[in-house]
Amino acid sequence: MTFKASDSLAEQIARHLADRIVRGELRPGERIQEQKVTQALDVSRGSVREALLILERRHLVVILPRRGAHVSDLDAHHVRSLCTLMAELYILLGNAVAQGWRTEADLAPFTALRQTLARSAQADDIQAFVDHSFAVMRAAYPFADNPYLRETVENLQPAMNRNYYRALEQRKAVMADYLALFDGLLAAVRQRDTAGIRQQLDAYGQLSCQLVLAALGQP
């Protein structure tokens, strides 16, 4: 794997491991051995330890005394809790865009991402669909201008991505449902309709939760 100098080495290692967790290559409860990661990526053990601490902050890894790092569990309680919280954070971002946009140029990044998401759905590319969905959140940050909201979303988003990826794996066709929700969200943002924004993003959270729970065999 080739790393770029623009990000810290630990951050890049964390992103690499996070991608493997999101895709299910590293399963819930599986131990992540520092030495194996060090050898596989040809990096220092200190950088791997720092990366694991980053993943712990992002709720993808649990570090236990004398037992090391393990991929965090994905159970019904965690899924419901995360989906509920993320929906509220997304609503804050959606309302900020609705209140802050002034011209069509302000909304252009969102309409462009809508087209990109549609192409990813057409190609059945789950990873690209998940990545570009998060790009929507990042496009909203400047409107909110809230560093605490941004940090919270950034730290929780990898765990949400794991849910999102699992949901899409359960049923790829649901990407069309997510696109329909995004269309409804964009319409509500254009109209500065806070009730409509909440309705669309609540529906997004509920859909994600239901699909992940189904994948876990939970009602």
Side-chain angles (χ1 to χ4, degrees), residues 2 8 16 23-24 64 70 78 90 112 138 156 182:
T2 301
S8 74
H16 168 71
R23 292 194 300 267
L64 302 172
H70 294 73
H78 285 90
Y90 293 159
R138 286 183 164 151
L156 290 175
F182 189 30

Side-chain angles (χ1 to χ4, degrees), residues 67-81:
R67 292 182 56 194
H70 294 73
V71 178
S72 60
D73 288 334
L74 189 63
D75 59 28
H77 174 67
H78 285 90
V79 169
R80 291 192 181 97
S81 299

Side-chain angles (χ1 to χ4, degrees), residues 4 11 14 24 26 63 100 102 104-105 109 120-121 123 134 140 178 204 207:
K4 298 179 181 179
E11 179 64 42
L26 294 172
I63 300 176
R102 294 293 176 266
E104 282 299 315
S120 299
F134 186 28
Y178 282 119
Y204 161 81
L207 177 61

Side-chain angles (χ1 to χ4, degrees), residues 115-137:
Q115 295 172 354
T116 303
L117 284 166
R119 288 193 294 270
S120 299
Q122 189 173 17
D124 279 341
D125 189 338
I126 294 175
Q127 186 65 61
F129 196 90
V130 170
D131 291 344
H132 292 128
S133 295
F134 186 28
V136 174
M137 304 303 115

Side-chain angles (χ1 to χ4, degrees), residues 14-72:
R15 189 164 57 246
H16 168 71
L17 293 173
D19 286 344
R20 295 193 64 199
I21 293 170
V22 166
R23 292 194 300 267
E25 295 171 10
L26 294 172
R27 309 294 296 175
E30 184 174 345
R31 184 180 177 190
I32 302 177
Q33 297 185 35
E34 291 180 11
Q35 187 62 33
K36 285 188 176 180
V37 176
T38 297
Q39 293 173 350
L41 301 181
D42 192 23
V43 293
S44 70
R45 195 156 187 170
S47 294
V48 174
R49 286 176 181 166
E50 187 179 348
L52 292 174
L53 290 172
I54 292 171
L55 292 176
E56 186 178 40
R57 284 201 308 273
R58 294 176 182 169
H59 305 278
L60 291 178
V61 160
V62 175
I63 300 176
L64 302 172
R66 297 182 298 278
R67 292 182 56 194
H70 294 73
V71 178
S72 60

Side-chain angles (χ1 to χ4, degrees), residues 77-97:
H77 174 67
H78 285 90
V79 169
R80 291 192 181 97
S81 299
L82 183 61
C83 288
T84 299
L85 177 58
M86 291 303 290
E88 292 299 324
L89 296 176
Y90 293 159
I91 288 165
L92 289 175
L93 287 171
N95 286 339
V97 178

